[in-house]
């Protein structure tokens, strides 16, 4: 059986963005641009960072992970300013069935520009056509309609609702699961 062709968190360029490994020098941008902000963290698995030290710790932990070929955690950087404005993570859910899952976040000041859509579309293309996944999944809390819209725009199909599957700043929330198959994705 053909295996996934892992290549690690390589640099990827889109029209307006650069996706690449996050470096220690980005700690302040990470903190100021998104990690300190409850509006961003409320749907994520982490609490808002309190100080830049939290960013430094977070980034340090990822440096070891970055040595692994099967780890895909990109910083989302604006080409125009080279600033770190968000993150996108592709996690292998099943090596045998070649399933990956996606999560992402973007600094509040940058919402409404389609940046995450641009990043997600590019990472889905990477997942199917570079690494060789057959299915990419993502989910959003029921109240997170912006995230739903990003997934729909990329061509993901809604599959099921899991009751109170995630804890957000609103408390336990139902989660809506989406997926896209390699055969459905137009690169
Ligand atoms: C989810 C997130 C990344 C989206 O960022 P974004 O791409 O800049 O989002 P946008 O503001 O451009 O919205 C994307 C789409 O949602 C639509 N939208 C925005 N607010 C909406 C709302 N309240 N209801 C319905 N749709 C909405 C926008 O119109 C846009 O669709 P369009 O391009 O067809 O017009 C960003 O909101 C974020 O980082 N949130 C916090 C972290 C998070 O929720 N991560 C995802 C966890 S599942």
């Amino acid at each position: 059986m053909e295996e996934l062709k892992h290549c690690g968190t390589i640099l990827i360029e889109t029209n307006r963005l650069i996706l690449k490994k996050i470096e220690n020098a980005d700690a302040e941008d990470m903190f100021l641009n998104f990690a300190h902000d409850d509006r961003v963290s409320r749907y994520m698995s982490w609490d808002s960072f309190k100080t830049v030290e939290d960013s430094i710790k977070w980034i340090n932990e990822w440096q070891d992970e970055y040595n692994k070929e099967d780890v895909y955690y990109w910083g989302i950087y604006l080409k125009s300013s080279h600033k770190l404005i968000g993150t996108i993570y592709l996690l292998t859910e099943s090596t045998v069935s070649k399933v990956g899952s996606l999560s992402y976040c973007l600094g509040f000041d940058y919402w409404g520009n389609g940046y995450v859509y641009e990043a997600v579309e590019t990472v889905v293309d990477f997942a199917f056509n570079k690494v060789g996944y057959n299915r990419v999944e993502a989910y959003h809390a029921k109240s997170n309609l912006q995230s739903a819209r990003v997934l729909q725009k990329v061509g993901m199909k809604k599959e099921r609702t899991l009751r109170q599957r995630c804890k957000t700043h609103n408390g336990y929330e139902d989660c809506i699961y989406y997926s896209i198959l390699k055969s459905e994705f137009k690169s």
Side-chain angles (χ1 to χ4, degrees):
M1 188 170 50
E2 207 179 317
E3 294 188 354
L4 291 170
K5 297 188 189 82
H6 287 301
C7 58
T9 308
I10 59 171
L11 185 149
I12 307 176
E13 218 176 303
T14 73
N15 277 348
R16 296 175 297 168
L17 306 170
I18 294 173
L19 309 180
K20 63 182 176 86
K21 290 177 184 171
I22 301 171
E23 298 172 11
N24 293 322
D26 301 318
E28 192 166 289
D29 283 345
M30 173 180 262
F31 179 70
L32 294 175
N33 291 343
F34 59 93
H36 77 282
D37 193 340
D38 287 348
R39 293 169 298 192
V40 178
S41 69
R42 67 185 163 152
Y43 289 119
M44 304 304 286
S45 57
W46 39 270
D47 289 328
S48 295
F49 294 5
K50 301 278 183 291
T51 67
V52 179
E53 293 302 315
D54 294 334
S55 306
I56 294 171
K57 193 162 164 260
W58 180 276
I59 295 170
N60 274 338
E61 282 166 11
W62 276 101
Q63 298 314 304
D64 286 342
E65 291 296 298
Y66 278 148
N67 294 325
K68 299 177 189 161
E69 289 268 282
D70 59 347
V71 166
Y72 303 107
Y73 182 62
W74 290 273
I76 301 175
Y77 294 77
L78 270 186
K79 253 188 198 173
S80 56
S81 65
H82 297 281
K83 291 266 179 225
L84 174 67
I85 59 167
T87 62
I88 181 161
Y89 184 39
L90 172 66
L91 175 71
T92 302
E93 294 289 348
S94 168
T95 306
V96 175
S97 308
K98 298 183 181 150
V99 180
S101 69
L102 273 183
S103 60
Y104 41 77
C105 73
L106 191 74
F108 179 79
D109 289 348
Y110 303 92
W111 289 9
N113 293 293
Y115 290 136
V116 164
Y117 165 65
E118 195 168 314
V120 169
E121 195 183 39
T122 301
V123 168
V124 170
D125 184 34
F126 168 90
F128 289 142
N129 296 315
K130 179 91 180 161
V131 186
Y133 292 93
N134 182 56
R135 170 187 162 99
V136 175
E137 309 170 337
Y139 67 82
H140 66 83
K142 196 171 180 181
S143 64
N144 193 353
L145 299 176
Q146 266 169 281
S147 188
R149 188 69 197 119
V150 170
L151 299 178
Q152 289 157 8
K153 276 199 292 186
V154 109
M156 288 211 176
K157 290 199 167 76
K158 189 166 152 179
E159 287 192 323
R160 59 184 173 154
T161 302
L162 294 191
R163 296 178 307 146
Q164 298 194 357
R165 174 64 180 78
C166 51
K167 191 149 187 239
T168 72
H169 293 195
N170 301 330
Y172 293 113
E173 274 200 65
D174 292 353
C175 266
I176 320 288
Y177 278 71
Y178 282 76
S179 75
I180 184 164
L181 306 179
K182 182 171 184 176
S183 57
E184 296 167 341
F185 182 68
K186 317 232 177 323
S187 48

